[in-house]
Amino acid sequence: MLPAAHGQSTTTEAAAASAAPATTPVPKNYPYVPPTERAKFSSYLFDAFGPYPIVGAALTAAVNQGYDTPPEWNQGAAGYGRRFGSNFGIAAVSTTTRYGLAEVFHEDTLYYRCDCKGFFPRLNHALISTISARHGADGHRAFSFSSLVSPYAGTMTAVYAWYPDRFGAKDGFRMGNYNLLVMAGGNVAMEFFYRGPHSLLSRLHLSNPNAAPAPDPNPKP
């Protein structure tokens, strides 16, 4: 049950610094630059149908296969295929719901790395970003209805659309909790492990190229 990852995009102090002239100091607190609709849609496509949800669905299906969950799908290639399709479907519905609701409520749900220092402040930022988003022209961070609802939308859809009949809302909610934790884990990974366009992840084509717009290191007054 892996969203697209969902996708989630990064803004780094190092990236902005490399874009600035060597003699120009880069301010610590960057002004917020809202992403374009094209950038948000490209990020949605990557998070919903890119390598992250495919790899995540494959790994989760392998775990489900090992635990024979749900047992009605049996073992073998057919069983694995159903589990893979189910997990990929959950991720796609979750990401689509987040994108659609974010458009309705004018939320920017792209992931922005913290410009803070220290393990715990950065960890707190990654976890809070799981259920918050940027709002308004100034990009202030506030609670995100779309980010909270989307992981449960994916699992509830699975329960009522293709899971065995014995599954119900309680199971969808339980699975949604795991889905939300996976999204939080994805944010933590982007906060701590992403190292820019020339990183190993990028060379493996697993890093999100649709980054949140980098701030201008030399903003006009």
Side-chain angles (χ1 to χ4, degrees), residues 1-202:
M1 292 159 288
L2 193 67
H6 311 208
Q8 302 199 5
S9 304
T10 60
T11 295
T12 67
E13 185 172 330
S18 63
T23 58
T24 303
V26 179
K28 179 177 177 56
N29 297 316
Y30 299 128
Y32 172 67
V33 180
T36 64
E37 290 301 319
R38 180 177 180 180
K40 290 191 289 185
F41 185 68
S42 296
S43 183
Y44 155 69
L45 292 178
F46 184 91
D47 289 343
F49 308 106
Y52 283 137
I54 294 174
V55 173
L59 294 176
T60 307
V63 174
N64 296 152
Q65 186 93 338
Y67 284 97
D68 196 24
T69 304
E72 290 89 341
W73 291 351
N74 302 316
Q75 293 291 307
Y80 179 82
R82 294 189 67 176
R83 292 178 175 93
F84 171 83
S86 173
N87 291 318
F88 187 80
I90 289 173
V93 172
S94 298
T95 305
T96 301
T97 301
R98 185 178 70 234
Y99 172 77
L101 290 178
E103 288 294 291
V104 171
F105 293 106
H106 305 290
E107 297 179 341
D108 176 6
T109 58
L110 299 182
Y111 186 77
Y112 294 80
R113 295 182 74 193
C114 187
D115 63 359
C116 56
K117 302 294 184 181
F119 174 79
F120 288 106
R122 293 178 67 191
L123 177 63
N124 180 70
H125 170 81
L127 296 179
I128 291 298
S129 296
T130 306
I131 55 172
S132 64
R134 290 180 178 268
H135 296 73
D138 62 347
H140 66 277
R141 187 166 291 280
F143 170 75
S144 171
F145 178 77
S146 58
S147 295
L148 180 62
V149 168
S150 59
Y152 299 94
T155 55
M156 286 295 182
T157 299
V159 162
Y160 290 107
W162 60 76
Y163 257 67
D165 291 340
R166 64 183 177 85
F167 285 80
K170 183 177 180 180
D171 299 291
F173 181 76
R174 171 179 54 81
M175 293 161 59
N177 291 335
Y178 292 123
N179 204 8
L180 183 63
L181 288 176
V182 169
M183 290 183 174
N187 284 348
V188 171
M190 285 192 292
E191 178 64 34
F192 288 99
F193 301 128
Y194 179 76
R195 289 295 181 270
H198 301 295
S199 66
L200 177 61
L201 289 179
S202 180

